[in-house]
Every structure is written in C-alpha cells, then in structure tokens.
Amino acid sequence: MQQSPPALTDCAECRAACVDDHLRSLMDPISRGDRDAFVTLFDHTRAAVRATIDEELQDPQCAAAVFAATYVEVWWLAGCHIGSGTDVVGWINRIAERRSAEEQPCPASASSAPEPAIGDAVDAQHLRALLELTSLLGRPLEPLTKLDLGRC
C-alpha cells in the first residue's frame, strides 16, 4: 500500500503543535456535533483521503460518492473509535478503503464520465451522502464533487 500524503499544516494550531495531536483534538468536539471542528478536520485531511480513494476507484462518480460517504461516516463515528494514540488520517483512510472496496464495480456509471454534478449521483444512496456532506460542511456541492483540494 502506498504512503498517504501528510495532512495539511497551514493553520495556526498545526504550526503551533503536532498535526496528529491537533487532528485527534478535533474528534471529541465532532462527536458532540461541532460542525466547525468537522470542517477543520475535513480541510486538513481531504487531500490524503481523496488520494486513497483515487488509488482504489477509477470512476469519478464513484470516487466522489465514496469520498462523501467516508466523511459522513466520520461525522457519525467520531466518538466511537478514536483514542489518544489514534492516527486520525489512517482511521479515515481505512473507512475510505473499505467503502471503495464495497463499490467495486461501481453500478451504472461509465468509467470515462466527468466528475458528477448534483443530478449525476450514481444512485439515491450516493446522492444522499453528497447532500449530507454539503449540509455538514455548509458548502455547495459543486466544489465538493470537483474536489478542490486547496490548503486549509
């Protein structure tokens, strides 16, 4: 398995402390429904997670759906599996790897299709994951499906 890219380090908390500690510190607030903490975690980990998904899935529609579903699962399970020594990016990547494996082969999509628009979700479950992630992040769907992986 290929090494994941490191989490982003452009925020003050990451410059002042260990990135891993900073990411772990976000998990408890996320487990209590703190959307700002979730957005911070998303912005710090999205490039590494998308790279993991792209290694497994060639279809951009499936990749976008798995990406969204992975973070929705992170939102719901944040308080369940994170201990003091947990590698948060590794934990999220394991979710992404499992979800990617579940998608192969991706139903009803062409491998040469462009990144999906809101009406192009592979199925209703994928659409729900995309919409739930946009709601959690308070961001429009289009940038999430295009996956602008800019810095935090």
Side-chain angles (χ1 to χ4, degrees):
M1 180 185 339
Q2 189 176 36
Q3 180 84 10
S4 298
L8 302 174
T9 58
D10 282 355
C11 70
E13 291 87 353
C14 289
R15 286 191 302 270
C18 174
V19 174
D20 293 334
D21 290 343
H22 177 54
L23 295 178
R24 274 190 297 276
S25 74
L26 296 169
M27 299 310 291
D28 184 51
I30 292 169
S31 73
R32 289 181 276 118
D34 185 331
R35 288 185 182 192
D36 290 336
F38 180 73
V39 169
T40 300
L41 179 75
F42 175 83
D43 286 340
H44 278 66
T45 60
R46 62 188 173 176
V49 172
R50 183 55 192 244
T52 296
I53 293 167
D54 285 346
E55 286 179 14
E56 303 293 325
L57 298 173
Q58 302 303 311
D59 184 278
Q61 290 179 330
C62 283
V66 167
F67 181 78
T70 295
Y71 278 98
V72 169
E73 186 170 335
V74 166
W75 170 257
W76 289 109
L77 297 180
C80 297
H81 302 290
I82 300 298
S84 62
T86 302
D87 170 10
V88 174
V89 175
W91 176 68
I92 298 170
N93 277 335
R94 285 188 297 280
I95 293 170
E97 288 167 353
R98 177 183 48 78
R99 287 187 165 277
S100 294
E102 292 169 355
E103 287 299 318
Q104 295 182 13
C106 191
S109 86
S111 61
S112 62
E115 291 280 352
I118 192 165
D120 295 337
V122 174
D123 61 25
Q125 182 177 353
H126 290 147
L127 181 58
R128 281 191 300 274
L130 287 164
L131 293 174
E132 187 169 1
L133 181 60
T134 62
S135 176
L136 288 169
L137 296 172
R139 296 180 181 167
L141 181 65
E142 185 69 19
L144 295 179
T145 59
K146 297 296 184 210
L147 294 170
D148 169 18
L149 299 177
R151 301 188 87 51
C152 63

PDB file of all heavy atoms in Angstrom, residues 20-49:
ATOM      1  N   ASP A  20      -0.851  15.572  14.211  1.00  0.00           N
ATOM      2  CA  ASP A  20      -1.630  14.421  14.685  1.00  0.00           C
ATOM      3  C   ASP A  20      -2.395  14.760  15.957  1.00  0.00           C
ATOM      4  O   ASP A  20      -3.558  14.388  16.109  1.00  0.00           O
ATOM      5  CB  ASP A  20      -0.724  13.214  14.934  1.00  0.00           C
ATOM      6  CG  ASP A  20      -0.126  12.659  13.649  1.00  0.00           C
ATOM      7  OD1 ASP A  20      -0.744  12.837  12.573  1.00  0.00           O
ATOM      8  OD2 ASP A  20       0.960  12.058  13.717  1.00  0.00           O
ATOM      9  N   ASP A  21      -1.751  15.471  16.878  1.00  0.00           N
ATOM     10  CA  ASP A  21      -2.433  15.875  18.115  1.00  0.00           C
ATOM     11  C   ASP A  21      -3.594  16.810  17.806  1.00  0.00           C
ATOM     12  O   ASP A  21      -4.665  16.703  18.405  1.00  0.00           O
ATOM     13  CB  ASP A  21      -1.466  16.559  19.081  1.00  0.00           C
ATOM     14  CG  ASP A  21      -0.459  15.597  19.685  1.00  0.00           C
ATOM     15  OD1 ASP A  21      -0.685  14.367  19.634  1.00  0.00           O
ATOM     16  OD2 ASP A  21       0.572  16.083  20.198  1.00  0.00           O
ATOM     17  N   HIS A  22      -3.364  17.725  16.874  1.00  0.00           N
ATOM     18  CA  HIS A  22      -4.419  18.669  16.502  1.00  0.00           C
ATOM     19  C   HIS A  22      -5.621  17.922  15.918  1.00  0.00           C
ATOM     20  O   HIS A  22      -6.774  18.177  16.302  1.00  0.00           O
ATOM     21  CB  HIS A  22      -3.884  19.705  15.519  1.00  0.00           C
ATOM     22  CG  HIS A  22      -4.914  20.665  15.028  1.00  0.00           C
ATOM     23  ND1 HIS A  22      -5.713  21.419  15.861  1.00  0.00           N
ATOM     24  CD2 HIS A  22      -5.285  21.000  13.771  1.00  0.00           C
ATOM     25  CE1 HIS A  22      -6.529  22.172  15.140  1.00  0.00           C
ATOM     26  NE2 HIS A  22      -6.291  21.926  13.868  1.00  0.00           N
ATOM     27  N   LEU A  23      -5.374  16.972  15.020  1.00  0.00           N
ATOM     28  CA  LEU A  23      -6.473  16.216  14.425  1.00  0.00           C
ATOM     29  C   LEU A  23      -7.209  15.398  15.477  1.00  0.00           C
ATOM     30  O   LEU A  23      -8.442  15.357  15.484  1.00  0.00           O
ATOM     31  CB  LEU A  23      -5.958  15.315  13.301  1.00  0.00           C
ATOM     32  CG  LEU A  23      -5.375  16.035  12.083  1.00  0.00           C
ATOM     33  CD1 LEU A  23      -4.855  15.020  11.072  1.00  0.00           C
ATOM     34  CD2 LEU A  23      -6.368  16.982  11.445  1.00  0.00           C
ATOM     35  N   ARG A  24      -6.473  14.756  16.389  1.00  0.00           N
ATOM     36  CA  ARG A  24      -7.120  13.991  17.461  1.00  0.00           C
ATOM     37  C   ARG A  24      -7.950  14.905  18.352  1.00  0.00           C
ATOM     38  O   ARG A  24      -9.026  14.522  18.810  1.00  0.00           O
ATOM     39  CB  ARG A  24      -6.073  13.246  18.303  1.00  0.00           C
ATOM     40  CG  ARG A  24      -5.692  11.901  17.725  1.00  0.00           C
ATOM     41  CD  ARG A  24      -4.858  11.096  18.698  1.00  0.00           C
ATOM     42  NE  ARG A  24      -3.593  11.720  19.019  1.00  0.00           N
ATOM     43  CZ  ARG A  24      -2.483  11.622  18.304  1.00  0.00           C
ATOM     44  NH1 ARG A  24      -2.472  10.907  17.204  1.00  0.00           N
ATOM     45  NH2 ARG A  24      -1.385  12.226  18.684  1.00  0.00           N
ATOM     46  N   SER A  25      -7.462  16.127  18.579  1.00  0.00           N
ATOM     47  CA  SER A  25      -8.202  17.055  19.446  1.00  0.00           C
ATOM     48  C   SER A  25      -9.533  17.479  18.834  1.00  0.00           C
ATOM     49  O   SER A  25     -10.422  17.941  19.546  1.00  0.00           O
ATOM     50  CB  SER A  25      -7.359  18.297  19.759  1.00  0.00           C
ATOM     51  OG  SER A  25      -7.284  19.161  18.633  1.00  0.00           O
ATOM     52  N   LEU A  26      -9.692  17.316  17.532  1.00  0.00           N
ATOM     53  CA  LEU A  26     -10.943  17.679  16.861  1.00  0.00           C
ATOM     54  C   LEU A  26     -12.022  16.615  17.019  1.00  0.00           C
ATOM     55  O   LEU A  26     -13.218  16.906  16.897  1.00  0.00           O
ATOM     56  CB  LEU A  26     -10.692  17.906  15.367  1.00  0.00           C
ATOM     57  CG  LEU A  26      -9.779  19.069  15.010  1.00  0.00           C
ATOM     58  CD1 LEU A  26      -9.419  19.004  13.527  1.00  0.00           C
ATOM     59  CD2 LEU A  26     -10.427  20.395  15.370  1.00  0.00           C
ATOM     60  N   MET A  27     -11.625  15.395  17.307  1.00  0.00           N
ATOM     61  CA  MET A  27     -12.573  14.287  17.298  1.00  0.00           C
ATOM     62  C   MET A  27     -13.634  14.398  18.399  1.00  0.00           C
ATOM     63  O   MET A  27     -14.809  14.130  18.148  1.00  0.00           O
ATOM     64  CB  MET A  27     -11.841  12.952  17.378  1.00  0.00           C
ATOM     65  CG  MET A  27     -10.889  12.722  16.204  1.00  0.00           C
ATOM     66  SD  MET A  27     -11.614  12.997  14.569  1.00  0.00           S
ATOM     67  CE  MET A  27     -12.734  11.624  14.488  1.00  0.00           C
ATOM     68  N   ASP A  28     -13.244  14.769  19.600  1.00  0.00           N
ATOM     69  CA  ASP A  28     -14.241  14.888  20.670  1.00  0.00           C
ATOM     70  C   ASP A  28     -15.282  15.964  20.354  1.00  0.00           C
ATOM     71  O   ASP A  28     -16.483  15.701  20.459  1.00  0.00           O
ATOM     72  CB  ASP A  28     -13.560  15.142  22.018  1.00  0.00           C
ATOM     73  CG  ASP A  28     -14.559  15.162  23.158  1.00  0.00           C
ATOM     74  OD1 ASP A  28     -15.359  14.196  23.267  1.00  0.00           O
ATOM     75  OD2 ASP A  28     -14.565  16.146  23.925  1.00  0.00           O
ATOM     76  N   PRO A  29     -14.866  17.161  19.939  1.00  0.00           N
ATOM     77  CA  PRO A  29     -15.897  18.151  19.573  1.00  0.00           C
ATOM     78  C   PRO A  29     -16.787  17.679  18.415  1.00  0.00           C
ATOM     79  O   PRO A  29     -17.996  17.926  18.422  1.00  0.00           O
ATOM     80  CB  PRO A  29     -15.098  19.396  19.169  1.00  0.00           C
ATOM     81  CG  PRO A  29     -13.764  19.231  19.808  1.00  0.00           C
ATOM     82  CD  PRO A  29     -13.524  17.759  19.911  1.00  0.00           C
ATOM     83  N   ILE A  30     -16.206  16.973  17.454  1.00  0.00           N
ATOM     84  CA  ILE A  30     -17.012  16.451  16.345  1.00  0.00           C
ATOM     85  C   ILE A  30     -18.040  15.467  16.875  1.00  0.00           C
ATOM     86  O   ILE A  30     -19.211  15.497  16.479  1.00  0.00           O
ATOM     87  CB  ILE A  30     -16.119  15.805  15.265  1.00  0.00           C
ATOM     88  CG1 ILE A  30     -15.276  16.878  14.564  1.00  0.00           C
ATOM     89  CG2 ILE A  30     -16.974  15.035  14.246  1.00  0.00           C
ATOM     90  CD1 ILE A  30     -14.186  16.313  13.672  1.00  0.00           C
ATOM     91  N   SER A  31     -17.618  14.614  17.804  1.00  0.00           N
ATOM     92  CA  SER A  31     -18.548  13.618  18.344  1.00  0.00           C
ATOM     93  C   SER A  31     -19.706  14.265  19.097  1.00  0.00           C
ATOM     94  O   SER A  31     -20.745  13.646  19.286  1.00  0.00           O
ATOM     95  CB  SER A  31     -17.809  12.637  19.259  1.00  0.00           C
ATOM     96  OG  SER A  31     -17.460  13.250  20.477  1.00  0.00           O
ATOM     97  N   ARG A  32     -19.525  15.526  19.502  1.00  0.00           N
ATOM     98  CA  ARG A  32     -20.597  16.260  20.190  1.00  0.00           C
ATOM     99  C   ARG A  32     -21.339  17.200  19.244  1.00  0.00           C
ATOM    100  O   ARG A  32     -22.101  18.050  19.680  1.00  0.00           O
ATOM    101  CB  ARG A  32     -20.017  17.038  21.376  1.00  0.00           C
ATOM    102  CG  ARG A  32     -19.584  16.100  22.511  1.00  0.00           C
ATOM    103  CD  ARG A  32     -19.034  16.837  23.716  1.00  0.00           C
ATOM    104  NE  ARG A  32     -17.620  17.140  23.485  1.00  0.00           N
ATOM    105  CZ  ARG A  32     -17.107  18.374  23.416  1.00  0.00           C
ATOM    106  NH1 ARG A  32     -17.865  19.419  23.587  1.00  0.00           N
ATOM    107  NH2 ARG A  32     -15.830  18.551  23.194  1.00  0.00           N
ATOM    108  N   GLY A  33     -21.101  17.054  17.928  1.00  0.00           N
ATOM    109  CA  GLY A  33     -21.855  17.823  16.949  1.00  0.00           C
ATOM    110  C   GLY A  33     -21.250  19.152  16.538  1.00  0.00           C
ATOM    111  O   GLY A  33     -21.942  19.984  15.959  1.00  0.00           O
ATOM    112  N   ASP A  34     -19.964  19.359  16.796  1.00  0.00           N
ATOM    113  CA  ASP A  34     -19.305  20.619  16.443  1.00  0.00           C
ATOM    114  C   ASP A  34     -18.939  20.612  14.955  1.00  0.00           C
ATOM    115  O   ASP A  34     -17.959  19.993  14.542  1.00  0.00           O
ATOM    116  CB  ASP A  34     -18.058  20.804  17.305  1.00  0.00           C
ATOM    117  CG  ASP A  34     -17.376  22.145  17.095  1.00  0.00           C
ATOM    118  OD1 ASP A  34     -17.468  22.719  15.990  1.00  0.00           O
ATOM    119  OD2 ASP A  34     -16.717  22.603  18.051  1.00  0.00           O
ATOM    120  N   ARG A  35     -19.735  21.301  14.167  1.00  0.00           N
ATOM    121  CA  ARG A  35     -19.509  21.329  12.718  1.00  0.00           C
ATOM    122  C   ARG A  35     -18.254  22.104  12.343  1.00  0.00           C
ATOM    123  O   ARG A  35     -17.608  21.779  11.346  1.00  0.00           O
ATOM    124  CB  ARG A  35     -20.729  21.902  12.005  1.00  0.00           C
ATOM    125  CG  ARG A  35     -21.878  20.931  12.037  1.00  0.00           C
ATOM    126  CD  ARG A  35     -23.045  21.404  11.237  1.00  0.00           C
ATOM    127  NE  ARG A  35     -24.105  20.424  11.362  1.00  0.00           N
ATOM    128  CZ  ARG A  35     -25.166  20.420  10.609  1.00  0.00           C
ATOM    129  NH1 ARG A  35     -25.329  21.330   9.684  1.00  0.00           N
ATOM    130  NH2 ARG A  35     -26.082  19.488  10.781  1.00  0.00           N
ATOM    131  N   ASP A  36     -17.896  23.119  13.107  1.00  0.00           N
ATOM    132  CA  ASP A  36     -16.659  23.852  12.811  1.00  0.00           C
ATOM    133  C   ASP A  36     -15.446  22.930  12.938  1.00  0.00           C
ATOM    134  O   ASP A  36     -14.521  22.982  12.121  1.00  0.00           O
ATOM    135  CB  ASP A  36     -16.498  25.065  13.724  1.00  0.00           C
ATOM    136  CG  ASP A  36     -17.506  26.166  13.419  1.00  0.00           C
ATOM    137  OD1 ASP A  36     -18.010  26.224  12.269  1.00  0.00           O
ATOM    138  OD2 ASP A  36     -17.795  26.964  14.328  1.00  0.00           O
ATOM    139  N   ALA A  37     -15.443  22.086  13.968  1.00  0.00           N
ATOM    140  CA  ALA A  37     -14.351  21.118  14.131  1.00  0.00           C
ATOM    141  C   ALA A  37     -14.351  20.130  12.966  1.00  0.00           C
ATOM    142  O   ALA A  37     -13.283  19.753  12.453  1.00  0.00           O
ATOM    143  CB  ALA A  37     -14.485  20.387  15.466  1.00  0.00           C
ATOM    144  N   PHE A  38     -15.530  19.714  12.524  1.00  0.00           N
ATOM    145  CA  PHE A  38     -15.628  18.797  11.395  1.00  0.00           C
ATOM    146  C   PHE A  38     -15.074  19.435  10.118  1.00  0.00           C
ATOM    147  O   PHE A  38     -14.327  18.801   9.375  1.00  0.00           O
ATOM    148  CB  PHE A  38     -17.081  18.361  11.193  1.00  0.00           C
ATOM    149  CG  PHE A  38     -17.269  17.409  10.045  1.00  0.00           C
ATOM    150  CD1 PHE A  38     -16.856  16.093  10.145  1.00  0.00           C
ATOM    151  CD2 PHE A  38     -17.856  17.839   8.869  1.00  0.00           C
ATOM    152  CE1 PHE A  38     -17.018  15.208   9.084  1.00  0.00           C
ATOM    153  CE2 PHE A  38     -18.036  16.967   7.808  1.00  0.00           C
ATOM    154  CZ  PHE A  38     -17.616  15.648   7.911  1.00  0.00           C
ATOM    155  N   VAL A  39     -15.422  20.685   9.874  1.00  0.00           N
ATOM    156  CA  VAL A  39     -14.913  21.392   8.692  1.00  0.00           C
ATOM    157  C   VAL A  39     -13.392  21.469   8.753  1.00  0.00           C
ATOM    158  O   VAL A  39     -12.710  21.247   7.749  1.00  0.00           O
ATOM    159  CB  VAL A  39     -15.550  22.797   8.577  1.00  0.00           C
ATOM    160  CG1 VAL A  39     -14.838  23.644   7.532  1.00  0.00           C
ATOM    161  CG2 VAL A  39     -17.033  22.679   8.255  1.00  0.00           C
ATOM    162  N   THR A  40     -12.846  21.755   9.928  1.00  0.00           N
ATOM    163  CA  THR A  40     -11.392  21.822  10.077  1.00  0.00           C
ATOM    164  C   THR A  40     -10.767  20.463   9.768  1.00  0.00           C
ATOM    165  O   THR A  40      -9.779  20.376   9.031  1.00  0.00           O
ATOM    166  CB  THR A  40     -11.012  22.289  11.497  1.00  0.00           C
ATOM    167  OG1 THR A  40     -11.567  23.587  11.707  1.00  0.00           O
ATOM    168  CG2 THR A  40      -9.510  22.330  11.689  1.00  0.00           C
ATOM    169  N   LEU A  41     -11.337  19.398  10.330  1.00  0.00           N
ATOM    170  CA  LEU A  41     -10.827  18.056  10.052  1.00  0.00           C
ATOM    171  C   LEU A  41     -10.910  17.751   8.559  1.00  0.00           C
ATOM    172  O   LEU A  41      -9.941  17.253   7.965  1.00  0.00           O
ATOM    173  CB  LEU A  41     -11.614  17.011  10.844  1.00  0.00           C
ATOM    174  CG  LEU A  41     -11.176  15.567  10.594  1.00  0.00           C
ATOM    175  CD1 LEU A  41      -9.859  15.288  11.305  1.00  0.00           C
ATOM    176  CD2 LEU A  41     -12.248  14.602  11.035  1.00  0.00           C
ATOM    177  N   PHE A  42     -12.024  18.055   7.947  1.00  0.00           N
ATOM    178  CA  PHE A  42     -12.204  17.824   6.509  1.00  0.00           C
ATOM    179  C   PHE A  42     -11.128  18.557   5.715  1.00  0.00           C
ATOM    180  O   PHE A  42     -10.475  17.973   4.851  1.00  0.00           O
ATOM    181  CB  PHE A  42     -13.606  18.284   6.087  1.00  0.00           C
ATOM    182  CG  PHE A  42     -13.853  18.193   4.612  1.00  0.00           C
ATOM    183  CD1 PHE A  42     -14.241  16.996   4.036  1.00  0.00           C
ATOM    184  CD2 PHE A  42     -13.705  19.310   3.803  1.00  0.00           C
ATOM    185  CE1 PHE A  42     -14.469  16.909   2.662  1.00  0.00           C
ATOM    186  CE2 PHE A  42     -13.930  19.235   2.439  1.00  0.00           C
ATOM    187  CZ  PHE A  42     -14.308  18.030   1.864  1.00  0.00           C
ATOM    188  N   ASP A  43     -10.935  19.831   6.018  1.00  0.00           N
ATOM    189  CA  ASP A  43      -9.970  20.618   5.263  1.00  0.00           C
ATOM    190  C   ASP A  43      -8.537  20.109   5.441  1.00  0.00           C
ATOM    191  O   ASP A  43      -7.723  20.214   4.528  1.00  0.00           O
ATOM    192  CB  ASP A  43     -10.053  22.090   5.656  1.00  0.00           C
ATOM    193  CG  ASP A  43     -11.297  22.768   5.087  1.00  0.00           C
ATOM    194  OD1 ASP A  43     -11.884  22.242   4.115  1.00  0.00           O
ATOM    195  OD2 ASP A  43     -11.687  23.819   5.618  1.00  0.00           O
ATOM    196  N   HIS A  44      -8.245  19.551   6.592  1.00  0.00           N
ATOM    197  CA  HIS A  44      -6.899  19.039   6.855  1.00  0.00           C
ATOM    198  C   HIS A  44      -6.644  17.673   6.224  1.00  0.00           C
ATOM    199  O   HIS A  44      -5.497  17.327   5.965  1.00  0.00           O
ATOM    200  CB  HIS A  44      -6.670  18.923   8.360  1.00  0.00           C
ATOM    201  CG  HIS A  44      -6.281  20.201   9.011  1.00  0.00           C
ATOM    202  ND1 HIS A  44      -7.117  21.272   9.099  1.00  0.00           N
ATOM    203  CD2 HIS A  44      -5.133  20.558   9.628  1.00  0.00           C
ATOM    204  CE1 HIS A  44      -6.505  22.250   9.738  1.00  0.00           C
ATOM    205  NE2 HIS A  44      -5.294  21.838  10.068  1.00  0.00           N
ATOM    206  N   THR A  45      -7.691  16.893   6.011  1.00  0.00           N
ATOM    207  CA  THR A  45      -7.496  15.501   5.605  1.00  0.00           C
ATOM    208  C   THR A  45      -8.003  15.171   4.213  1.00  0.00           C
ATOM    209  O   THR A  45      -7.710  14.093   3.698  1.00  0.00           O
ATOM    210  CB  THR A  45      -8.197  14.559   6.611  1.00  0.00           C
ATOM    211  OG1 THR A  45      -9.596  14.853   6.641  1.00  0.00           O
ATOM    212  CG2 THR A  45      -7.599  14.705   8.003  1.00  0.00           C
ATOM    213  N   ARG A  46      -8.721  16.052   3.576  1.00  0.00           N
ATOM    214  CA  ARG A  46      -9.400  15.720   2.321  1.00  0.00           C
ATOM    215  C   ARG A  46      -8.451  15.290   1.198  1.00  0.00           C
ATOM    216  O   ARG A  46      -8.775  14.397   0.432  1.00  0.00           O
ATOM    217  CB  ARG A  46     -10.290  16.865   1.858  1.00  0.00           C
ATOM    218  CG  ARG A  46      -9.542  18.144   1.573  1.00  0.00           C
ATOM    219  CD  ARG A  46     -10.487  19.281   1.308  1.00  0.00           C
ATOM    220  NE  ARG A  46      -9.719  20.522   1.196  1.00  0.00           N
ATOM    221  CZ  ARG A  46     -10.234  21.661   0.903  1.00  0.00           C
ATOM    222  NH1 ARG A  46     -11.540  21.744   0.681  1.00  0.00           N
ATOM    223  NH2 ARG A  46      -9.489  22.728   0.827  1.00  0.00           N
ATOM    224  N   ALA A  47      -7.283  15.892   1.091  1.00  0.00           N
ATOM    225  CA  ALA A  47      -6.362  15.509   0.015  1.00  0.00           C
ATOM    226  C   ALA A  47      -5.843  14.090   0.223  1.00  0.00           C
ATOM    227  O   ALA A  47      -5.792  13.295  -0.729  1.00  0.00           O
ATOM    228  CB  ALA A  47      -5.198  16.499  -0.064  1.00  0.00           C
ATOM    229  N   ALA A  48      -5.462  13.750   1.441  1.00  0.00           N
ATOM    230  CA  ALA A  48      -4.967  12.406   1.725  1.00  0.00           C
ATOM    231  C   ALA A  48      -6.057  11.368   1.504  1.00  0.00           C
ATOM    232  O   ALA A  48      -5.810  10.294   0.941  1.00  0.00           O
ATOM    233  CB  ALA A  48      -4.438  12.324   3.159  1.00  0.00           C
ATOM    234  N   VAL A  49      -7.271  11.684   1.927  1.00  0.00           N
ATOM    235  CA  VAL A  49      -8.375  10.737   1.782  1.00  0.00           C
ATOM    236  C   VAL A  49      -8.730  10.569   0.307  1.00  0.00           C
ATOM    237  O   VAL A  49      -8.941   9.449  -0.171  1.00  0.00           O
ATOM    238  CB  VAL A  49      -9.589  11.186   2.627  1.00  0.00           C
ATOM    239  CG1 VAL A  49     -10.810  10.329   2.335  1.00  0.00           C
ATOM    240  CG2 VAL A  49      -9.224  11.147   4.109  1.00  0.00           C
TER     241      VAL A  49
END
